[in-house]
Amino acid sequence: MEFDTVIHGGTIVTPTESWQGDLGLVGGRIAALAERLPGGARRIDATGRLVLPGGIEAHAHIAQESSSGLMSADDYYTGSVSAAFGGNSSFIPFAAQHRGQSVDAVIETYDSRAAPNSVLDYSYHLIISDPNEKVLTEELPRAFARGITSFKVFMTYDLMNLGDRGMLDILTVARRHGALTMVHAENNDMVKWMNARLAAAGLTAPKYHAISRPALAEAEAINRAISLARLVGAGLFIVHVSTPEGADLVARAQACGLPIHAETCPQYLAFTRADLHRPGMEGAKYICSPPLRDAATQAALWRHARRGTFESVSSDHAPYRFDASGKFANGAQPAYPAIANGLPGIAMRLPYLFSEGVAAGRISLQQFAALSSSNAARLFGMERKGALLPGYDADIAIWNPEETREVTLADQHDAMDYTPFEGMRLTGWPEHVLSRGETVVEAGELKAARGRGRFVARAPYRPDPNAPVEPELDPALNFGAEIRP
């Protein structure tokens, strides 16, 4: 067989094992694995390097308006370039439906933003805030049929919160059509109650954001979300888990055989609420929801990453510049609820996870491969990505495990004016990223053309058919009533 490219001499890493060998690529796909492969029109020397599945960033806000109308700083060009420099070969940003919008129109809008600009292959998770009858019965099924088989809903924010009844309706539609529901789980009334009391006391500096959204608000909402999904027998993916209690709830549900999935994010492993207490308005750079917690929480989240509670560690890249276009769109010194919510981090997700996970001995190389790519591909239906196997897309990241860098803003290659990771010294860095066999990043240089990325139609989500069924919904136990779809 004649190979377009042979990657030789590296250590190939999968979620289950690693070995030294070669990869042969043909027509944008992996064609062969062997101890040694001859030939190749192009040969890439990976001696002393790790050859990993290209990262799949499964949680990012790119060219997206917030519910208040604020546009994120990164478009699909800068966002995909930044992701690529961070070792990613594909990503799944959100396409947000706000109230009054049709899902069809939302997808058309995001197609026009992504297709001409992305250097990486991409798909979308929808965000659903207005699940009216037409959305539930016509528009979501059309989106699922097109291969957009996941969507996110909110249990907080007045303009996004669906309420428990709305959650049940949309979970039922997802189960019927083979889609996965993602949820931002925080108790909206707990948060509003805290905000009102802090405001009444004049406590509105950025640091108070950290206590305005209690850990208990997340734990309660995660428990409720799991219960709602359990009632209708639907799969559920809980985004950005930030508390030990929330992670414990996920782990218990998984131990019971329920199709409950979750992620955490680098910011919850890297930073604490003390970062919001920086001088002046510097703490605004660290405002995100759920908020940053403490060192004990970080240790607990690392334990859950090692145990397998989390399917992925995603960036939740929400880029708002430290100026009037972003964090300070509502004034130079706004109260914390008026500060744009989110942290940038799409380029730092994997270098941070490698350095503080693998190099620091908290997770294994195999776990890194799973958390960075393979689990997301499996869970979100990217059937030809996330694995170094014949027939799969040649989406590959070659890492130098020994390289140590001090993080700078220039490393991010995004549209931001700050990175919260500035000045950190990290060990391990992606040197060469390929997407469908084409070099996207090599030796610190972008090699890919704007718009080369392709939309990825994803397969349906199918929960374990043996997952437990609540007795009230089991025809064998409920007098034959057919309630579930």
Side-chain angles (χ1 to χ4, degrees), residues 68-260:
S68 62
L70 189 64
M71 177 63 80
S72 61
D74 280 313
D75 61 18
Y76 269 82
Y77 181 68
T78 59
S80 64
V81 168
S82 185
F85 274 95
N88 296 285
S89 55
S90 58
F91 65 163
I92 316 175
F94 289 97
Q97 179 224 26
H98 298 297
R99 296 199 173 167
Q101 294 180 329
S102 99
V103 171
D104 294 336
V106 167
I107 294 172
E108 184 177 354
T109 294
Y110 280 84
D111 282 344
S112 71
R113 294 172 179 175
N117 292 305
S118 184
V119 304
L120 298 180
D121 290 354
Y122 60 91
S123 188
Y124 316 120
H125 306 294
L126 291 166
I127 289 176
I128 300 299
S129 64
D130 191 2
N132 57 51
E133 185 67 18
K134 185 176 182 182
V135 167
L136 293 174
T137 61
E138 299 178 28
E139 294 184 342
L140 277 176
R142 274 199 295 272
F144 303 152
R146 188 191 159 181
I148 302 172
T149 51
S150 53
F151 60 88
K152 180 181 176 184
V153 295
F154 288 78
M155 301 176 78
T156 188
Y157 306 125
D158 286 344
L159 294 176
M160 307 295 287
N161 181 17
L162 300 186
D164 290 355
R165 175 63 181 269
M167 282 278 293
L168 287 168
D169 287 342
I170 206 161
L171 283 163
T172 301
V173 170
R175 184 184 185 278
R176 181 182 303 131
H177 292 280
L180 181 59
T181 304
M182 308 166 75
V183 63
H184 177 138
E186 289 181 287
N187 183 301
N188 196 44
D189 285 320
M190 283 187 182
V191 172
K192 291 171 70 175
W193 189 90
M194 289 291 290
N195 281 338
R197 276 146 186 79
L198 287 165
L203 305 176
T204 61
K207 64 185 176 183
Y208 294 108
H209 173 80
I211 63 171
S212 72
R213 310 181 82 90
L216 188 61
E218 178 181 273
E220 187 284 328
I222 287 177
N223 183 63
R224 185 157 38 99
I226 291 171
S227 298
L228 295 170
R230 180 175 173 177
L231 177 63
V232 302
L236 187 70
F237 186 95
I238 300 166
V239 299
H240 47 50
V241 175
S242 71
T243 59
E245 297 87 347
D248 288 344
L249 286 163
V250 171
R252 286 201 290 272
Q254 292 168 342
C256 292
L258 296 171
I260 304 299

